[in-house]
Amino acid sequence: KNEVEQSPQNLTAQEGEFITINCSYSVGISALHWLQQHPGGGIVSLFMLSSGKKKHGRLIATINIQEKHSSLHITASHPRDSAVYICAVPSYINTDKLIFGTGTRLQVFP
Amino acid sequence: ETGVTQTPRHLVMGMTNKKSLKCEQHLGHNAMYWYKQSAKKPLELMFVYNFKEQTENNSVPSRFSPECPNSSHLFLHLHTLQPEDSALYLCASSQDTQGEDTQYFGPGTRLTVL
């Protein structure tokens, strides 16, 4: 069974700060997903990565396969970045199934 | 527009009611999913359909009954639910069911069972 842990659970920041959210998993994987969930429930897929680093605007995701760890960074954070950030990995037993972390709730204040 | 729509967005029902949730995807995907999100808990996969065939039933009680008439539509039929079934129900779709496939989520149906 693949366990997914995220830290921190809650994060507050001032506008402009650099944000880091961490995700650790217990079993080798083929890919890791980062998702964003806004108040109201809608979920948007941010990244899928299997190695190295990906960048989209102010968001950067990195993954270290050997250490079974991924980070999501937000540069120059803005109040509209306030959301829950969730990482997910395929189940070790059934790769059709994603296992989700509990999420990191981010609030960015002006 | 995410390409995945869900109706209704909010639903309040009694324990003896029968209702259905609907999901439609306009992305030409082959796989569709139902997830449950309860307060303070991670997303839980309920069902997976690939090419209209159910490929995963994650030990979901029989009071939840999925239906996938075609690759674009997915229903979740609800009957004799319990208050603990109150949650956000999310539909998603992806090209296929590989772990590397990006899943596109609908806005969810917030269900309250009285």
Side-chain angles (χ1 to χ4, degrees):
Chain A
K1 184 181 174 183
N2 205 350
E3 303 287 347
V4 180
E5 291 189 3
Q6 287 186 238
S7 63
Q9 287 190 353
N10 295 283
L11 185 56
T12 57
Q14 288 294 125
E15 183 172 355
E17 285 186 12
F18 181 81
I19 304 292
T20 295
I21 298 170
N22 298 298
C23 176
S24 296
Y25 51 93
S26 55
V27 182
I29 58 168
S30 56
L32 181 142
H33 300 260
W34 280 105
L35 308 159
Q36 179 192 57
Q37 185 172 29
H38 277 283
I43 293 178
V44 175
S45 181
L46 298 175
F47 295 104
M48 189 282 294
L49 66 165
S50 53
S51 64
K53 179 166 87 171
K54 284 192 176 179
K55 184 175 189 294
H56 185 259
R58 296 180 293 106
L59 300 178
I60 303 167
T62 63
I63 189 167
N64 185 319
I65 298 294
Q66 287 73 31
E67 295 186 3
K68 297 186 176 62
H69 180 270
S70 176
S71 293
L72 178 68
H73 306 285
I74 305 175
T75 60
S77 59
H78 190 275
R80 65 175 173 266
D81 297 325
S82 299
V84 176
Y85 292 85
I86 303 168
C87 75
V89 300
S91 166
Y92 179 69
I93 296 171
N94 178 2
T95 57
D96 290 0
K97 179 178 169 178
L98 288 179
I99 307 297
F100 294 83
T102 52
T104 295
R105 184 174 299 277
L106 171 66
Q107 286 185 292
V108 181
F109 294 99
Chain B
E1 172 61 57
T2 64
V4 181
T5 57
Q6 288 186 245
T7 55
R9 295 293 307 276
H10 300 271
L11 178 62
V12 179
M13 60 187 288
M15 289 191 283
T16 58
N17 290 157
K18 289 185 181 179
K19 296 285 184 184
S20 295
L21 309 185
K22 179 183 177 182
C23 175
E24 184 173 359
Q25 57 99 357
H26 314 273
L27 301 168
H29 288 164
N30 300 315
M32 296 187 77
Y33 309 78
W34 278 118
Y35 288 97
K36 176 183 178 183
Q37 188 177 40
S38 304
K40 311 286 186 188
K41 288 186 174 180
L43 276 162
E44 298 173 60
L45 178 67
M46 299 176 74
F47 301 104
V48 180
Y49 277 82
N50 196 23
F51 291 97
K52 303 187 300 178
E53 299 296 320
Q54 189 180 121
T55 59
E56 178 82 27
N57 176 338
N58 200 27
S59 304
V60 181
S62 60
R63 58 185 183 269
F64 295 91
S65 174
E67 179 190 0
C68 188
N70 55 62
S71 293
S72 299
H73 293 86
L74 186 64
F75 295 89
L76 188 62
H77 304 299
L78 316 171
H79 64 96
T80 59
L81 294 192
Q82 305 297 311
E84 60 264 30
D85 297 322
S86 298
L88 181 68
Y89 289 84
L90 289 154
C91 172
S93 73
S94 62
Q95 188 60 53
D96 290 294
T97 56
Q98 298 304 307
E100 300 86 2
D101 287 329
T102 297
Q103 293 187 19
Y104 295 80
F105 286 80
T109 295
R110 188 159 296 282
L111 173 67
T112 303
V113 182
L114 301 176

